[in-house]
Amino acid sequence: MSDFKYPKQEKLKKDTEITLLFAKGKWRSCGNLRIIILKNHQDLQNENVKLGVSVSKRYFKKAVHRNRIKRLLRECYRLNKDLFKASFGEKTIAMMFWVSNELPEKFQVVEAEFIKLCEAQKKQQ
């Protein structure tokens, strides 16, 4: 049975981890979704996946729209956590970005891009 929670220990919040992620991470993208990933690094202390989400103020001036997309991105991860872990590994930190100025019509659009991104990563391994 899958665990459909997004607990506090899975949220990427530490400044040191975020700095390390941007310094040493690898970028992947699929459509409007971009992700930066760092896996199995010796400086990582976490034993499980940590994920953060971000939406640029450049694309969405209104906080309501940014928050809506961030909610959709977190929900994609929460529902497809097993696929994410299978594609990117267990000891991983990552951050997802929405890089389009178009608000997604519905959740299924965002979820489809998330699944495509995970499957593309799985094929590369």
Side-chain angles (χ1 to χ4, degrees):
M1 184 81 191
S2 285
D3 181 23
F4 290 122
K5 295 179 181 174
Y6 184 46
K8 190 175 184 177
Q9 61 264 20
E10 287 186 13
K11 295 178 182 170
L12 181 65
K13 293 192 175 216
K14 288 185 181 176
D15 192 38
T16 55
E17 290 177 340
I18 294 171
T19 306
L20 179 67
L21 176 66
F22 278 96
K24 310 250 176 173
K26 304 281 185 217
W27 288 93
R28 305 276 183 264
S29 59
C30 178
N32 296 326
L33 192 63
R34 285 191 83 196
I35 190 167
I36 185 169
I37 304 155
L38 183 63
K39 54 185 172 181
N40 299 330
H41 197 270
Q42 66 267 16
D43 294 340
L44 294 177
Q45 284 85 28
N46 62 325
E47 293 300 320
N48 54 353
V49 174
K50 283 195 165 193
L51 181 90
V53 295
S54 180
V55 178
S56 176
K57 203 185 266 190
R58 181 196 322 166
Y59 297 120
F60 297 99
K61 302 295 184 204
K62 296 186 178 182
V64 175
H65 296 158
R66 289 194 304 273
N67 292 338
R68 166 85 177 145
I69 295 173
K70 287 191 280 189
R71 251 190 336 269
L72 292 174
L73 292 173
R74 283 191 293 265
E75 187 71 2
C76 285
Y77 168 73
R78 188 183 73 80
L79 293 177
N80 299 295
K81 193 185 302 188
D82 293 336
L83 176 64
F84 186 85
K85 287 180 181 178
S87 300
F88 296 108
E90 282 290 328
K91 192 177 175 184
T92 303
I93 59 173
M95 187 167 246
M96 283 196 300
F97 302 91
W98 186 259
V99 290
S100 170
N101 56 2
E102 297 173 8
L103 196 65
E105 270 186 50
K106 49 189 175 180
F107 170 72
Q108 287 79 10
V109 173
V110 180
E111 187 177 35
E113 288 193 13
F114 181 78
I115 291 171
K116 264 195 270 182
L117 183 70
C118 289
E119 288 174 350
Q121 176 65 24
K122 214 174 197 182
K123 287 178 184 176
Q124 285 183 352
Q125 291 176 345

